[in-house]
Structures are given as C-alpha cells and as structure tokens.
Amino acid sequence: MEQGRGTQSSRSVPMATSEPGQYEGAERVERSERRVRRGDIRDAIEQDILTGRSRPGEKLDEQALARRFDVSRTPVREALQQLASVGLIELKPNRGAFVREVSIGELIQMFEVMAELEGMAGRLAARRAGEGTIRRIRELLLACETAAASRDTDAYYAENGRFHAAIYEACGNAFLASEASRLHQRLKAYRRLQLRVPKRMEQSLAEHRRIVEAIESGDAALAERELKDHIAIQGERFADFVASLSVRDAAE
Amino acid sequence: MEQGRGTQSSRSVPMATSEPGQYEGAERVERSERRVRRGDIRDAIEQDILTGRSRPGEKLDEQALARRFDVSRTPVREALQQLASVGLIELKPNRGAFVREVSIGELIQMFEVMAELEGMAGRLAARRAGEGTIRRIRELLLACETAAASRDTDAYYAENGRFHAAIYEACGNAFLASEASRLHQRLKAYRRLQLRVPKRMEQSLAEHRRIVEAIESGDAALAERELKDHIAIQGERFADFVASLSVRDAAE
DNA sequence: GTCAAGCCTATTGTATACAAGATATGATCT
DNA sequence: AGATCATATCTTGTATACAATAGGCTTGAC
C-alpha cells in the first residue's frame, strides 16, 4: 500500500501486507513522476533548502520524503548523504537529517574564501585565457547587460552565474574551477538576496565590465583585485542586508 | 550464502547499563573486526587508497568489502558515497566504484589551489593571531625542529601537519580552516612523498621558521607570500619527483 | 574463422524486513 | 504531586531479498 511500485509487479511479496498505511494522510503529489531519475531526489531537496521551503533547523523525515518521491528510504538516504557532504544539511547519528543553520558569521567567512578563489581564477584567466574564451566571456557580459537593461533580476541572476562560471573555466585550472563552482552553488541563495539591494544590479554590472577589461588586457594583478573586490562587496552587502533586518549582530 | 552473519547476533547487554558510553564494545574484536564503529569502514578504505594499497583505476568490490568488515553492503555503499564526495573514488552508475586516477596535472592544480588557501590563512593569521595562538605555533615549530634533528621523517610529517593546522585555526576563519584541512588531507599522500627528496626536510623547516617570523611580526603580506611559496615549492618538488622516476609512467 | 545476436552471470540499485537507538508516555514510589 | 524508572512507539541504521543492468559467453549463421 505504501509502496505503489511493488504492488503492480507480478511477483507476490511474502508477507508484504504487514501493516496498512499509517500515514496515508500525507499528500502524495508526485503520482505522475514515477520513475524518478537518479539525482532528482537530491536536486529536489536541495531546491527546497535553497529556496527556503525547508527552514534551517528543520528536520527532514526520511519516510515522508520516500513517500513524496514514491521510492523507498534507500535512495532518499543516499540523497541526504550527498547533501550532507556539500554542507547543506547535517546528519546527526541516530537522530536524522536537519537543514543546516548557517550563521551570519559563517556566511561572511564563506564569502571571504570565495573572494580569494575568484580572485585567483581571475588572475590565472588574465594570463591564460585565449581568443575564443575571451569572446565567450564578452558574450556573457552582454547577456548580463541585456538582463540588467530590462530590470529582470531572475535573468541577471542566471547570466551572472554563467559569467562567473566562464571565468572559472578560463583559469585553466579545472580543480580550482570545480571548487569555485561548488562554493558558488553553496552561496547561491544568499547571492540572490543581494539583488534586492537598490542599484546593486547596476553596480555589479559595472564591476563585471572592469573585470572583463582586466582579463582582456592580460593584467593579472588587476583582474585578481577586481574579482576579489567584486565578491568581497557581495559579502559586505550581504552583511549590511542582514544587519538592516536584525539590530543585534554577532558578526565578529 | 554470501553473508555468514545474522545467526549469531546475540548481542548481550540488554539495556540495563546506565553508562553514558555509547561504544562499549570498541575493543571487543570478535573474529575479525566485528562491531565496526560508524566511519571505520570509510577510514579503512581511504587509508588503503592513500597508502597506495588500492591502486588508481582499481575497482572496489562492494561484496568483498562487506565480507572484509563483516557487514552488509549497505554501510559499505554509504562509505563509498562519502569517499566519492571527497573525490577519492569515482562512482560509475551501474558499474561500481573505482579508485580515482589523479593525473600529475591535476595534482599540480590542487597544489596551486592549496598554496592560495594557505597563503590566505597566513595573511589572516598574521593580522589576527593572538598571544596564545602564536605561542602554540612556536611550540609546533619546535616539535618540527626536534623531529628534523633526529631525521625522523614520520615524526616530521606528523608535526608538520599539526603546524599547518595550527595556522589554519589561527586565521580566524573557521570555514577557510575546514576547507584547507580538507585539501591538506587530500594531498597528504603526495606531501609525504616529497620528504624523500634529499634535504627537503631541512628546507621545509627553514621555510617554517620564516613563516612563523612573518606571522609574529604581523606582516600579513609577507606571511602570505612565505606560505604560498612554501606550498608552491611542494607542488614543484612533487612534479620533479614524479618526472625523475617515471619514464614509463602513464602520466595522464 | 569471424561476427552477431541472444542468453548467462556477475554486480549494482532498490525495496523491504529487522534490529537498535531515541523520544514520548505512563506507572510506581516517595 | 512530582520525580523517576520502565515501557511503548517511532525513527534510524543494517541486513537481506529482489529487480535491473552491463559485460561476457555461447551458439549459430555466413
């Protein structure tokens, strides 16, 4: 009953009729999306966390998730493990999975590291980027400008991500690129928040232009500084934003 | 059957014990290594990889590992997932787990990133380290010197790890500290290799002294440079080392 | 002899069963 | 009545059963 899959298979399960569904009241919306692809579960839970649908500190119930995706607990646990390894949730032994509470101080520290990595990527990109790579970055800058011109924060947010990813790739250090992407992904939700700050999109765009200029001219030190500042500003803006909400702040 | 287990699951100790200790059976090694602690499996496989007992490209057989630790495949798979998330192995869908082949180029890239992070930690440590922290770092430098004096590479290797960890802590950015530790751990095996290079231990020690000096004097830029170079040299030495012994090595 | 197609087997992936830990709940004693 | 211990119940963790897939092997045709 609780596992819709097993019932329709021709084989008979020994004593499968153990107990009638004791939680059948919960909504099971995903009726249509049987056959979830591997990784879908992970992505869905991640999305819930990043969008704030799952609040920090909240417990994630394995059984509920299993029902929601119409799978057993096994793949759900797998997904939870992966999310824990990325740092999005915390697995307390014998207690379960909880959405991680990230303090403001911790976020600022993460932005600080991100700034360093982006700066490094910029420095290397300025030295190593070839003709085609630079053209691609230029294109993405243009896309950012278009999005900004139409005041479309969602589009800007998306193009911005692509812009930075292109720089990671351009640095010629695949490991750095993957580490930077990982952190970028991790800070996604908080980056987005800043776009609400008035004029931030325009400022960001101006910074992007200077970054491209520096990379194009091959000025490694400048590219490093511009990118580092670009991210550092985001960290500060984020801190401002938070401070404006909460008067008391323990941000070291 | 494949799991010669389950029959003798006569775990005594009903629950009358009001002891707070949760792993009472830690030293109780029945048969092989019964009652493995959570995480032991992961550590053991990791150790095999880092020490080279499991060669790059080699396939890790779930069933064999399950037998070896006398557990079912479930916790083994869990351990493999974690190792995959750290990058030590690769999980090919429907194919299994394989020890990741790290090319020399990739390793150099990792050292490059490591150098940046260590440099950052040094810079911040120079600015933020307090009285006690510096004393602690000094102590660890002394321990390195002692180990070096007695030509004990194993001891030096261990003290070196503590020395760097102390600097990570001193930087006042816990996130950076954890990221640096993660990478340090990842490069562990390759770091160790370098100590075989003649005079490397002495050079390393000299570099350590300059690093401590820079941090003590509060010279952030210098501390950053010294640490960065310290790691960069390791990357270069590593490349030299590999180049010197592998004419026949299928590097990449 | 070579190649291809289809079965065979070995191994991964998923579901379910079962065990052990944790929390909630109720009974008993002071 | 309140506290404490015992138990009931729920949840996580692990074992096992089953399903599905990949790769090898056999067989048959050319």
Side-chain angles (χ1 to χ4, degrees), chain A residues 78 81 112 173 179 182, chain B residues 78 81 112 173 179 182:
Chain A
E78 195 171 295
Q81 293 254 350
E112 202 174 18
N173 182 326
E179 289 293 295
R182 205 171 50 88
Chain B
E78 195 171 296
Q81 293 254 349
E112 203 174 17
N173 182 325
E179 289 293 294
R182 204 170 52 89

Side-chain angles (χ1 to χ4, degrees), chain A residues 11 14 23 59 61-63 73 77 93-96:
Chain A
R11 74 182 179 86
Y23 294 113
K59 173 166 182 183
D61 185 43
E62 291 179 2
Q63 295 199 148
R73 279 171 49 220
R77 284 176 63 85
N94 289 320
R95 300 283 308 282

